[in-house]
Structures are given as structure tokens and as C-alpha cells.
Amino acid sequence: MASSTVLAQDNGDKESSDKSDSGSTNLVEMQKDSSNWLMWSGQYNGQRYSELDQITAENAGDLAPAWTFSTGVLRGHEGGPLVKGDTLYIHTPFPNKVFAIDLESHAIKWKYEPTQNPQVIPVMCCDTVNRGLAYGDGKIFLQQADTTLVALNADDGKVQWKSKNGDPSKGETATNAPLVIKDKVLTGISGGEFGVRGHLTAYNIDDGKMAWRAYSTGPDDSMMIDPENTINGITQEPVGKDTSLKSWEGDQWKIGGGTTWGWMTYDPELDLVYYGTGNPGTWNPTQRPGDNKYSMTIFARDPDTGEAKWLYQMTPHDEWDYDGVNEKILVDQEIDGEMRKLVVHFDRNGFAYTQDRTNGELLVAEKYDPAVNWATKVDMKTGRPQVVDEYSTSGKVGENVENICPAALGSKDQQPASYSPKTGLFYVPTNHVCMDYEPTKVDYTAGQPYVGATVAMYPGPNDITNPVKEPMENRMGTFIAYDATTGKIKWSVPERFSVWSGALATAGDVVFYGTLEGYLKAVDAKTGEELYSFKTPSGIIGNVNTWKYKGKQYIGVLSGIGGWAGIGMAAGLTDPNAGLGAVGGYKDLKNYTQLGGVMTVFALPDSVVEKTESDSDDEVASN
């Protein structure tokens, strides 16, 4: 039990790390213990599924807040808590504080308060969010907004090492959650709206030295692409030489975007890490002819060397800012009578992609919001979306292209989906938002915005598939259950605003998510029926996580309105076109919530837990 708080000074002193875990490779085994939550998704596979089943569809209605913790920071609270043993670790938006909290007393064991230049704030595209921490080798890893990757001793918060991953003066910042794989910690870079050239970088877990860096655009060697061995997921043939360079005009690849601010997953058996790249530099597609490879691309890489094993570009020559950074969920499911190792990705562009994760073969690509209209379908032979000319923005500088669905923030943005192996369904928090998009000419200056478009956002049409209740007018969000083997939506829960929270599925057949108004909701995994709802102090854009401590299952979520959807409130913006179009689209959000920064933890009452355990014991005995 903690008796006092230890303040971990931001002094950069290197201390000997805790080796009690016998190296980070133990994460493969440690992630199997559902009492803990050791990485952003709970497991390497990105499923955001827990084997904990104390909370069930029968008793979820009895949930209640157990305790709360104020972070002392406003603006958007994305990501979620990590739990190891008797300690919970939580982070904040800029200035990226880290707290270690004792699960017994709820006292602060230690906190880390980094010193960062506030000039980083205006360089961050869509609020000052941070998407979470990573654990490995007795360390907590934080990716600061100013691109500094920090390793903290998990026991006392002392700084083990720091590595600078970018340069904010050039528009490079960081918002992603790192991922520890064996003896390395992997991290990305933000800044696609500033002409940043994206990359994924691996650092040695012991000393923080760079192990490798793989760029998203440019020459093959800097992208760590082997033209004779890196496979094109569509053709199943080697990509060939200089495929990125050939897809850009001149040296535009140097400011080509393809940033890597999203989520990473890992398959220990195949030894491959999966991630996606963001939009190409400048939102005005007329200024960058070609496919702009390899923005908007799924990569599978060797985490030891960085070598690209296969890749697939989802939106060539992106014209709408449909970043491809959303999570890649790894599952084993049957398609056409054959068990396949799959990677499933719900892209910003409104299509859900099901691929063989061994080689990238495209198996299913379907819309997961019926409102999607910018393309009719994905051609399964070429892998290219079939663009509708009416909604193309290329060659239309100064022309306002209206009613494009989805909006730039996509049918789903960073908010990660979950998967239940019990139901075989994916549970997806989505945006139901459309836009008007006017490309404008823009010149590149290092460290200055390089957007080149004016965007207005608004609610999508009334289209909805298999709703579990009557949808409200001007709906901007839907929470869906999706079958990735068929591309079908099984049920839909309409929501007033975008569902910007990460989902959680559990063995108790309960799925959790949060709303922008601030409600933590529990629904039946099979039917979508609402089981529980509680309004937290601020809007929820954080991810719902779960753990077990002293025999009781807990649910934890951060509330704190912000992120792209809430940027108007978070940054005090009023121009409808500000926030890359989000301010006007979400103008009514202020009527439902206010700024905050609180983690709320939920659990069942002791009496319900005892009854649940007793009923479970009786069932086992009868069998």
C-alpha cells in the first residue's frame, strides 16, 4: 500500500531497469493473464477482448461506479489505463502526465510530469491527445507530444532513458501508443497536415538507441522494402523496384505524409507487426498526381529488422483524408469452409477489409456504413476502390464538392473496435458524418500547416442497417456488430454523436463503449440490447479497459471531451470550418457535456459478485 506519492522528476537520469519480468518477451505469456491489461488492446492481437466473465449480460444492469480519479488535465483523453498486478497506470493529454495508482488504496504511488515546450500544442493537428502507454521489461513507455519516447521504471517512475523521435519545428509531433515487441519498443509519428514524411521506428528496450526506421514514402531502402521479396497483397507478387518513387511527381514524396499515429498489432507465431499509414501530404489531390504510395497502406513488417513482408494500399491517390491508421485486428476464422489467419481493418474510407495476414491476400471488402458514397465498391481483382466521379475532389481546385460520405474523419477514426471469439463478431464504434470538401492551392513551408482544403461536416442520411432501436434525427454515430467473413452488419445501435470511444468485448457476453455525451454503456454482445448506462463527468473518447483485482472484475474508462470530434470545445474554437471542419459539425456537443479529465472505474456490488460466483459453482457442480 502506498503511503506517499513519489514525484518522478523529468531529469533524464538513467537508472538500472527492473528485470523481474525476465525480459519483454514474457509479454507473450503475460498477456494471457486476463487479470492484467498490459497494452493498448489488452493483447497483441488487437481484439480488445477479455476472458473475464464476472460481469454478464444477466447482471450488467447492477454495475455501479466503484471509484474515480481526476487527472487534473483538460482537453481530449484518448487511450485507456494499463494494469499490472496491484498497480494501474494512466496518462493524460499534453503535458502527458503519467500516474501509477495503487489498486488497494487508490493512492498515487508515483507520477511523472514531463517538461515540454508549449509551442508543440499549435502544431498538433486535432487536439493534444495521447493514446496510451506501453509496458515491457519492468518499464512504462510514454510517447510524449514533442516526439520524446520515454522509458520509466514501472516501480518508482524514474526515467530510464529518453529518445527523440522527431522535430516539432518541422511539424512532427506524436500521439500514438507505443508497442513493445521482444527487445524493442515501436512507435510512430504524427504531422500529416504539416507535410511530414511518416515512419515507423524501433528502439532498443534496454538503452533507447534506434534499432531501425522504416519510412512510408520514398526509395526502397529507406522504406525497408525489398523489391524482390516484399509482396503486394493484391497481386501476391513482389512489389518491384521503386514503386513509391514512381507514384509521386518529382520529390513530393519527401513531404508525402503517410504518418503512423495509429495502432500496432503483432502476431508472435508469424513474427509480424501490422500497422497503417495516413493521408498523403496536402489534402489537395490535384497538387500530387499519382497513387502516392505508400500512404493509406497496411504494412506487415518483421519487428526485428523492419523489413516489409507484405503491403496493400487501400486508397490510392487519396482525395478525402481517409487515413489508413486504424487498428489491424488479428483473428482466426473460417471463410468459404477454410480456416484462415485473418487481419481485419475498419478503414476511415468506410470499407472494412478482411485479409489473410500471412500474405495480405484480400478476401472481403465491404462498406460498414450504408451511407458511404464516394466509391461504389472495392474491385477485388485490383484492390482499388471504384470512385464515383461526383464525389471526386481531384482536378476541382476552388470547387466545393458536396455531400461526400464519410467525412474526412471517416466512418471510423482512431477509436478501436473489439472482437469476441464467442460470437465471432466485431463491435465497431463508428461515425455517421458527411462533408463538403473544397481543395485549395497550398505551398509547403516546414513547420506550417500543409492542408490545402476547406471542409464542412454534418450528420449523414438516415440510412441504418438492422437498428436495435429507433434512430434519432440528425444522427452522427452508430455502434455496430459486424461479421468480417461475410461483410454484413448484424445489428446497429444509433447514437446522437459519433462513437469516439474504444470498444471492449468480454467473455460475459457484454460489450462496452462510451459516447461523446459522456455515457459508459454496456450492451448484449448477441443482440445489442442496452444493459447499463452511466453518465460520467465529461464526454468519453477514451478506450474501455477491464481487469481483475482481489477476485473482482473492474471496468475503467477515461472521460474528457476533445479529440477531433470535440476539438471545438477542447480548444475554444467557434469558426464552423475550424478543426478541419469538425467545429461546425459537432457544434451541439456543448449542450450535452463539458470539459473534464476523470477516470471512472465500475464494478458489481459485492452481493451480486457473491451470487454470480455461487451460481457459477452450482452450474459446474451440476455438470
Side-chain angles (χ1 to χ4, degrees):
M1 182 179 299
S3 58
S4 62
T5 301
V6 176
L7 178 62
Q9 298 295 329
D10 183 20
N11 55 20
D13 291 341
K14 185 172 179 179
E15 305 284 346
S16 59
S17 63
D18 176 6
K19 296 296 184 180
S20 59
D21 293 323
S22 301
S24 60
T25 52
N26 251 2
L27 277 174
V28 174
E29 293 301 319
M30 292 171 67
Q31 65 167 341
K32 297 176 183 178
D33 182 355
S34 55
S35 296
N36 297 323
W37 192 274
L38 297 173
M39 56 193 74
W40 71 267
S41 60
Q43 314 89 13
Y44 275 130
N45 56 27
Q47 292 180 11
R48 299 191 52 77
Y49 172 79
S50 173
E51 293 286 354
L52 297 180
D53 60 1
Q54 189 176 89
I55 301 168
T56 67
E58 288 71 35
N59 65 26
D62 294 315
L63 281 167
W67 56 279
T68 61
F69 177 78
S70 174
T71 67
V73 179
L74 299 179
R75 303 194 68 150
H77 283 61
E78 291 184 347
L82 301 186
V83 173
K84 181 179 182 295
D86 63 356
T87 307
L88 179 145
Y89 302 93
I90 199 65
H91 63 288
T92 76
F94 188 95
N96 306 138
K97 297 180 182 180
V98 179
F99 298 91
I101 302 173
D102 187 292
L103 288 178
E104 181 67 28
S105 65
H106 307 152
I108 300 171
K109 288 185 172 183
W110 57 260
K111 61 180 177 180
Y112 169 71
E113 298 189 33
T115 300
Q116 298 186 72
N117 189 332
Q119 293 301 314
V120 172
I121 295 175
V123 188
M124 301 184 77
C125 153
C126 310
D127 201 10
T128 59
V129 298
N130 181 281
R131 297 189 175 89
L133 307 168
Y135 172 83
D137 197 29
K139 302 180 183 75
I140 294 293
F141 296 92
L142 165 70
Q143 177 62 79
Q144 293 179 184
D146 64 3
T147 78
T148 304
L149 179 65
V150 184
L152 306 170
N153 185 294
D155 290 334
D156 58 21
K158 292 182 178 179
V159 175
Q160 308 294 285
W161 53 256
K162 295 181 180 181
S163 292
K164 201 66 181 294
N165 194 49
D167 183 354
S169 71
K170 297 178 180 179
E172 295 175 329
T173 56
T175 57
N176 68 285
L179 185 67
V180 174
I181 301 176
K182 295 184 282 189
D183 63 348
K184 295 178 178 63
V185 54
L186 278 61
T187 193
I189 199 76
S190 301
E193 279 62 58
F194 287 81
V196 167
R197 182 184 175 207
H199 53 76
L200 185 71
T201 306
Y203 292 90
N204 295 327
I205 197 170
D206 283 337
D207 57 17
K209 292 181 179 179
M210 186 187 297
W212 53 260
R213 170 168 289 175
Y215 283 94
S216 303
T217 64
D220 291 336
D221 56 352
S222 67
M223 294 184 65
M224 307 194 83
I225 283 178
D226 183 337
E228 302 302 323
N229 291 299
T230 300
I231 298 299
N232 180 319
I234 294 300
T235 66
Q236 289 298 295
E237 299 291 337
V239 295
K241 186 178 180 180
D242 293 333
T243 47
S244 176
L245 290 178
K246 292 174 182 176
S247 69
W248 293 90
E249 189 175 81
D251 287 342
Q252 286 186 334
W253 57 269
K254 293 181 179 179
I255 51 173
T259 51
T260 49
W261 52 271
W263 312 99
M264 294 166 275
T265 49
Y266 173 60
D267 184 330
E269 293 183 1
L270 297 176
D271 200 20
L272 292 176
V273 60
Y274 303 85
Y275 72 101
T277 61
N279 58 287
T282 183
W283 287 23
N284 179 358
T286 308
Q287 288 187 221
R288 44 171 174 78
D291 280 354
N292 309 136
K293 293 178 169 62
Y294 280 102
S295 63
M296 325 300 278
T297 297
I298 296 176
F299 278 93
R301 292 188 184 272
D302 182 323
D304 295 321
T305 66
E307 181 183 353
K309 296 299 184 180
W310 63 260
L311 54 80
Y312 165 57
Q313 188 178 38
M314 295 161 291
T315 313
H317 187 59
D318 167 62
E319 305 174 35
W320 311 267
D321 185 47
Y322 291 153
D323 292 45
V325 301
N326 294 350
E327 72 285 354
K328 317 295 181 273
I329 305 175
L330 315 182
V331 300
D332 295 343
Q333 285 189 292
E334 186 176 293
I335 293 185
D336 295 331
E338 180 183 356
M339 285 298 297
R340 304 291 292 262
K341 292 181 178 296
L342 304 177
V343 54
V344 177
H345 168 73
F346 296 90
D347 196 65
R348 284 257 290 270
N349 69 15
F351 288 88
Y353 296 84
T354 304
Q355 294 171 266
D356 187 312
R357 68 176 181 269
T358 68
N359 57 18
E361 179 188 356
L362 185 61
L363 303 172
V364 182
E366 296 290 345
K367 299 176 182 179
Y368 61 98
D369 183 341
V372 173
N373 65 10
W374 68 277
T376 55
K377 64 178 182 178
V378 173
D379 186 313
M380 298 301 287
K381 291 183 178 179
T382 65
R384 300 179 72 94
Q386 303 300 287
V387 177
V388 177
D389 289 342
E390 179 184 355
Y391 304 117
S392 170
T393 69
S394 195
K396 299 179 182 179
V397 177
E399 178 180 342
N400 190 34
V401 183
E402 299 180 340
N403 197 36
I404 304 168
C405 304
L409 42 69
S411 293
K412 191 180 84 62
D413 198 12
Q414 62 80 36
Q415 60 268 44
S418 64
Y419 168 79
S420 171
K422 291 187 67 177
T423 64
L425 297 176
F426 291 79
Y427 301 95
V428 192
T430 75
N431 313 311
H432 186 67
V433 184
C434 301
M435 67 177 173
D436 298 342
Y437 191 111
E438 182 179 340
T440 57
K441 188 179 185 304
V442 62
D443 295 321
Y444 172 77
T445 302
Q448 298 299 311
Y450 188 54
V451 179
T454 300
V455 177
M457 299 185 189
Y458 40 83
N462 291 328
D463 301 357
I464 190 169
T465 303
N466 299 329
V468 302
K469 62 181 180 181
E470 188 70 22
M472 62 287 292
E473 292 185 4
N474 298 320
R475 171 178 59 92
M476 297 181 76
T478 320
F479 188 76
I480 67 171
Y482 181 87
D483 185 338
T485 66
T486 63
K488 302 296 184 183
I489 299 170
K490 292 298 185 180
W491 50 255
S492 300
V493 180
E495 291 289 352
R496 183 180 305 277
F497 296 105
S498 296
V499 186
W500 209 268
S501 145
L504 168 72
T506 70
D509 286 328
V510 182
V511 177
F512 298 87
Y513 66 96
T515 73
L516 283 177
E517 301 101 307
Y519 287 98
L520 182 280
K521 294 191 175 184
V523 299
D524 188 301
K526 298 175 183 176
T527 66
E529 176 190 359
E530 185 173 302
L531 306 170
Y532 177 74
S533 176
F534 180 87
K535 197 171 194 300
T536 64
S538 185
I540 298 176
I541 63 172
N543 302 335
V544 188
N545 294 351
T546 188
W547 63 92
K548 195 171 187 178
Y549 180 66
K550 288 195 171 180
K552 182 175 282 192
Q553 181 181 358
Y554 293 90
I555 303 292
V557 66
L558 282 168
S559 60
I561 196 64
W564 195 354
I567 187 62
M569 292 186 65
L573 305 176
T574 56
D575 181 347
N577 294 121
L580 302 174
V583 173
Y586 294 86
K587 62 183 183 299
D588 294 336
L589 191 54
K590 64 181 182 297
N591 298 326
Y592 294 87
T593 191
Q594 288 295 296
L595 298 180
V598 174
M599 186 180 69
T600 307
V601 178
F602 300 82
L604 295 170
D606 289 342
S607 59
V608 176
V609 172
E610 292 169 3
K611 183 179 185 304
T612 300
E613 299 296 337
S614 176
D615 291 346
S616 179
D617 291 342
D618 291 343
E619 183 178 349
V620 172
S622 65
N623 291 333

